[in-house]
Amino acid sequence: MRSIGELARASGLTVSALRFYDSAGVLVPALVDPVTGYRWYADEQLAPARLVAGLRRVGMPVAEIAAAVRAEPAAVHRLLDVHLRRLEDGLADARRELSRIRALVGPEKPTRAVRVVLSRAELTYAVDAVRFAVGTDPELPALTGVLFDVAPDGVRLVTTDRHRMALARADVTRMDGSAVRVLAPAGFVDEVRALLEGDADLTSAVRLTVEGDTIAVSVAGRTVTGSLLPYDFPDYQRLLRAAAGDAPTYRIPVDVAALRTALRRPGAPTIAREYDGTPIAVSVLGVDGRGALRVLEPDETGPDGGLRFGVNGDYLLDALDAAGGPQLVLELDGPITPLAVRRPDDDAALSILMPIRL
């Protein structure tokens, strides 16, 4: 038997929390001394106590915690899915409200002008690599633009629509001013792409300027200017691997033409899902013991007992097209972890797709 203090230390719950969950009928002691009133817990109550501690940390309501403690694993997973959607909806509401507040306050204007010189070819590739992942939801205005993260080692372009993220970099050959992050409208970026496609010399330099609430790109004597968006872009670096040694569990080489053909062929197997009223065709991919990737039937198990995961097929095709090149690499740690699409010759560019639980 464990005292209440011993169970508190072993489970991560405080003594007062254990008393509360006792009174709520969630985690009742195995024995209460009738003389002293001391609570005693059996060893098999440690696992439920740790479950309660975890659910409490993520803010699950007490009634649902009580149900989870008594439920079978499948039912607990359903409770977790419901609570996760509740948290995501609350976060989306908070972001929308903060965006409205920031619009009322007005943009935070950079105090110093920043001017950088870039390779025209690299900026063209960076725009093409990220444009597909720009958000279109008017209730999430911070996702409707392209982040320009200007630093001495390069200008990173980043986009996300919550379900996928794309990042690419153009090296800086000269920089005047301090590092800055600004959010440019998608329409401005489209005008820049058209400018880069002009008849100027392919080797000509591109000048990018950020001053006040204005961003401008110039090439071969022609300039496109736009007004910056007054929103905070999500912290994209949290999704990037912080340590060089944090290698993915699976690193799968992909023949792009073969995978594109398998996903687009008539009658290609998919699972019909719906998200926010929009139908989604989920493609099921499998990786066998030799690391080969193929499209599976919806009810087919992973080849040779290997990995099996689901992804929005249209999003994956967008990522393949944006990355370019005949060979790419898919990286992931498991069937419900983010999927990274990379070029084998460019560590600075990638797309991240959120998988779909099968």
Side-chain angles (χ1 to χ4, degrees):
M1 303 289 284
R2 298 172 185 262
S3 70
I4 192 171
E6 290 170 335
L7 186 66
R9 288 189 292 272
S11 66
L13 289 167
T14 64
V15 170
S16 61
L18 283 169
R19 292 193 183 112
F20 168 77
Y21 288 117
D22 175 15
S23 65
V26 176
L27 196 63
V28 178
L31 174 67
V32 178
D33 190 299
V35 177
T36 64
Y38 289 169
R39 294 169 172 86
W40 296 92
Y41 295 83
D43 281 344
E44 57 266 23
Q45 290 184 284
L46 176 57
R50 287 175 171 167
L51 175 61
V52 170
L55 297 176
R56 185 185 188 202
R57 282 193 292 271
V58 298
M60 181 174 282
V62 174
E64 293 181 18
I65 292 177
V69 169
R70 299 178 179 88
E72 295 295 322
V76 176
H77 283 292
R78 288 194 292 271
L79 286 171
L80 294 176
D81 290 338
V82 169
H83 186 60
L84 180 58
R85 287 194 292 271
R86 182 190 302 135
L87 293 175
E88 290 173 341
D89 290 342
L91 181 58
D93 290 342
R95 282 177 172 158
R96 283 191 290 268
E97 192 59 36
L98 287 173
S99 293
R100 294 188 187 101
I101 293 171
R102 291 184 187 280
L104 291 173
V105 173
E108 181 182 357
K109 299 180 180 181
T111 57
R112 306 169 76 181
V114 179
R115 297 178 178 85
V116 295
V117 178
L118 310 166
S119 158
R120 178 185 173 198
E122 289 186 5
L123 182 59
T124 301
Y125 166 70
V127 171
D128 290 344
V130 305
R131 179 62 179 86
F132 74 97
V134 172
T136 58
D137 187 346
E139 294 190 346
L140 296 172
L143 308 185
T144 60
V146 178
L147 178 71
F148 282 72
D149 189 352
V150 183
D153 65 334
V155 176
R156 292 172 178 82
L157 274 62
V158 191
T159 58
T160 182
D161 61 3
R162 287 198 305 160
H163 311 293
R164 51 189 173 171
M165 184 182 81
L167 181 146
R169 187 183 72 191
D171 289 336
V172 168
T173 57
R174 190 174 77 244
M175 177 173 177
D176 298 320
S178 302
V180 66
R181 291 184 184 181
V182 295
L183 188 61
F188 164 80
V189 175
D190 292 340
E191 291 183 36
V192 169
R193 184 62 181 83
L195 179 68
L196 296 171
E197 265 187 345
D199 57 0
D201 182 359
L202 288 174
T203 62
S204 59
V206 174
R207 289 170 173 78
L208 184 148
T209 302
V210 176
E211 188 170 6
D213 59 358
T214 300
I215 183 170
V217 170
S218 300
V219 58
R222 296 175 297 157
T223 301
V224 172
T225 302
S227 297
L228 298 173
L229 296 176
Y231 310 114
D232 282 341
F233 193 82
D235 183 4
Y236 71 93
Q237 292 180 329
R238 290 176 55 191
L239 288 177
L240 303 179
R241 300 183 183 278
D246 189 14
T249 303
Y250 299 92
R251 196 168 192 274
I252 310 156
V254 174
D255 182 311
V256 175
L259 179 56
R260 186 183 288 116
T261 298
L263 291 171
R264 284 180 170 163
R265 68 178 174 83
T270 59
I271 299 174
R273 290 282 179 85
E274 185 176 297
Y275 182 82
D276 283 350
T278 301
I280 298 173
V282 180
S283 296
V284 183
L285 304 181
V287 182
D288 62 23
R290 299 181 300 278
L293 180 75
R294 63 186 179 89
V295 179
L296 304 178
E297 295 292 335
D299 57 352
E300 187 177 355
T301 59
D304 302 330
L307 178 69
R308 177 176 178 267
F309 60 98
V311 67
N312 184 318
D314 291 335
Y315 283 1
L316 180 56
L317 286 168
D318 287 342
L320 297 178
D321 293 340
Q327 297 292 324
L328 296 176
V329 175
L330 303 186
E331 296 179 348
L332 71 163
D333 287 321
I336 57 171
T337 59
L339 166 70
V341 181
R342 294 182 182 271
R343 289 176 56 166
D345 59 346
D346 187 357
D347 290 336
L350 78 158
S351 299
I352 295 178
L353 309 180
M354 300 307 296
I356 298 175
R357 188 187 298 272
L358 296 175

